[in-house]
Amino acid sequence: MPKVKTNAASKKRFALTGTGKIKRKHAYHSHILTKKSKKRKRNLDHTALVNGANERQVRELLNLR
């Protein structure tokens, strides 16, 4: 039986917390930043947790069960 590969794009985008939750970054913080307010950019800088509705999909991409 061959090894199951982890999705390479997903392992770059997601990280696990100590308690097993999945961290993600916010979108809209990579370009066209001049028109966005400082407050908006600052809030996009923080990490967030993956929503429960999507957690199963992300776990399968990362080969976590």
Side-chain angles (χ1 to χ4, degrees):
M1 185 98 185
K3 289 182 181 179
V4 180
K5 289 191 174 181
T6 300
N7 183 278
S10 297
K11 69 183 175 186
K12 295 169 190 171
R13 285 170 172 77
F14 301 106
L16 279 177
T17 64
T19 56
K21 294 176 184 173
I22 303 171
K23 290 191 299 187
R24 65 172 177 85
K25 291 191 174 159
H26 284 280
Y28 308 111
H29 191 60
S30 58
H31 60 90
I32 313 176
L33 298 173
T34 52
K35 64 176 79 171
K36 296 170 188 164
S37 69
K38 286 182 180 182
K39 179 180 179 180
R40 183 173 165 193
K41 289 185 281 192
R42 184 171 60 245
N43 288 334
L44 289 172
D45 202 31
H46 303 298
T47 56
L49 295 176
V50 170
N51 190 285
N54 300 322
E55 193 161 344
R56 185 174 169 205
Q57 289 174 307
V58 176
R59 284 189 177 278
E60 286 179 7
L61 289 169
L62 297 173
N63 292 326
L64 302 170
R65 282 170 188 88

